[in-house]
């Protein structure tokens, strides 16, 4: 093995290994119905997104923060008169979101099976600790991973730290994920490959420009193409 060979592959979880955003969208649709007497759906969604953006710094990523943002939005949109019954329903739909089924994406199982043992595999995800642990357990994918990192944010520092601890440094690592902002751009900034696997539903706060000029940027249509890419990179 050349001293520059890749040894470590990081995988994002939500909407890379399993479906996630679609459940948030369903919950949001339900939420707008609960407030239908007070405002139009798009207006509610807009205010909810603003609340989520504001609250990221306080609560981090995940369903608990999302639920609190829904409650905050309900209070705002009703000028403080939202009935307690509606708050209770918001808490219910937030809890339902914490128990949605885990549906793995195409080619995930085969790909991880083929790579495990040949590379160090690391799951790197944001979100609520309990929720991500539950999804990993239910996915049945846990045994493929050499390490699991549930982090509060994904920055170049995060990737440098994880790939140095688990692998042989960021230069010999690759990060695979559906978020340009969280998975790709910071991993490339850390010195790793960033392999973008677009998902048709990606949270608007995770969008940034594709770093098309970066030598270590790659894009594949689905995880089934990852092994061929690794062969090409040698
Ligand atoms: Mg993701």
């Amino acid at each position: 093995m050349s001293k520059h060979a890749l040894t470590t592959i990081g995988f994002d979880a939500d909407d890379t290994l399993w479906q996630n955003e679609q459940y948030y969208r369903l919950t949001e649709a339900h939420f707008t119905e609960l407030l239908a007497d007070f405002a139009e759906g798009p207006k509610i969604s807009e205010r909810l997104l603003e609340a989520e953006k504001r609250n990221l710094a306080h609560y981090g990523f995940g369903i608990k923060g999302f639920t609190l943002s829904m409650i905050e939005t309900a209070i705002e949109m009703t000028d403080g008169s939202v009935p307690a019954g509606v708050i209770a329903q918001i808490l219910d739909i937030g809890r339902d979101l914490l128990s949605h089924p885990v549906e793995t994406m195409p080619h995930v199982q085969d790909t991880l099976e083929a790579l495990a043992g040949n590379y160090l595999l690391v799951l790197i995800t944001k979100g609520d600790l309990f929720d991500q642990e539950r999804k990993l357990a239910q996915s049945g994918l846990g045994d493929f991973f050499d390490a699991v990192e549930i982090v509060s944010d994904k920055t170049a520092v995060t990737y440098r730290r994880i790939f140095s601890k688990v692998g042989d440094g960021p230069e010999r690592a690759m990060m695979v994920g559906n978020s340009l902002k969280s998975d790709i751009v910071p991993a490339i900034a850390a010195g790793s490959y960033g392999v973008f696997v677009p998902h048709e539903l990606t949270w608007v706060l995770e969008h940034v420009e594709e770093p098309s000029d970066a030598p270590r940027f790659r894009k594949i249509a689905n995880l089934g193409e990852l092994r061929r890419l690794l062969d090409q990179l040698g």
Side-chain angles (χ1 to χ4, degrees):
M1 187 193 290
S2 104
K3 69 179 169 59
H4 299 298
L6 283 174
T7 60
T8 311
I9 307 176
F11 286 90
D12 168 54
D14 290 341
D15 296 314
T16 298
L17 299 182
W18 50 67
Q19 302 284 4
N20 174 66
E21 182 67 17
Q22 65 182 30
Y23 301 110
Y24 274 86
R25 302 280 172 111
L26 287 171
T27 302
E28 184 175 327
H30 199 153
F31 172 64
T32 58
E33 282 165 28
L34 289 175
L35 294 185
D37 289 346
F38 301 94
E40 301 284 318
K43 187 73 204 160
I44 300 168
S45 292
E46 192 182 301
R47 295 286 284 274
L48 175 60
L49 184 65
E50 283 167 20
E52 288 182 85
K53 227 186 280 185
R54 277 198 307 274
N55 285 333
L56 273 183
H58 304 294
Y59 309 135
F61 297 87
I63 294 172
K64 279 185 287 184
F66 180 62
T67 304
L68 290 171
S69 294
M70 287 193 287
I71 292 174
E72 192 173 310
T73 305
I75 294 169
E76 276 179 20
M77 309 273 340
T78 61
D79 291 324
S81 67
V82 58
V86 172
I87 302 277
Q89 282 177 286
I90 294 170
L91 289 168
D92 280 343
I93 62 175
R95 255 190 306 267
D96 286 348
L97 191 51
L98 284 165
S99 60
H100 72 69
V102 177
E103 183 192 337
T104 51
M105 306 285 293
H107 310 291
V108 166
Q109 180 85 22
D110 297 1
T111 304
L112 293 178
E113 207 170 300
L115 300 179
N118 295 314
Y119 295 90
L120 288 165
L121 303 185
V122 197
L123 183 84
I124 307 174
T125 179
K126 297 185 295 200
D128 295 307
L129 187 58
F130 276 8
D131 184 42
Q132 296 297 15
E133 286 177 342
R134 168 190 78 90
K135 289 190 283 191
L136 181 60
Q138 283 180 14
S139 73
L141 302 173
D143 287 345
F144 293 125
F145 290 98
D146 297 282
V148 175
E149 295 277 342
I150 300 171
V151 296
S152 57
D153 204 358
K154 289 171 162 178
T155 64
V157 173
T158 316
Y159 290 113
R160 227 171 269 134
R161 175 180 65 77
I162 293 172
F163 289 139
S164 300
K165 186 177 74 172
V166 178
D168 306 294
E171 292 79 13
R172 297 179 67 179
M174 164 186 280
M175 181 65 194
V176 181
N178 74 301
S179 166
L180 287 165
K181 182 166 190 272
S182 297
D183 304 318
I184 308 307
V185 170
I188 291 173
S192 307
Y193 280 93
V195 179
F196 179 39
V197 194
H199 187 285
E200 55 180 353
L201 299 177
T202 294
W203 192 29
V204 54
L205 296 186
E206 296 290 348
H207 288 295
V208 292
E209 278 287 289
E210 274 185 31
S212 318
D213 295 339
R216 290 196 149 196
F217 173 67
R218 297 291 186 282
K219 184 175 176 176
I220 55 178
N222 58 62
L223 279 189
E225 296 180 6
L226 185 61
R227 271 180 283 173
R228 198 173 33 180
L229 172 65
L230 286 163
D231 288 344
Q232 284 166 6
L233 294 175

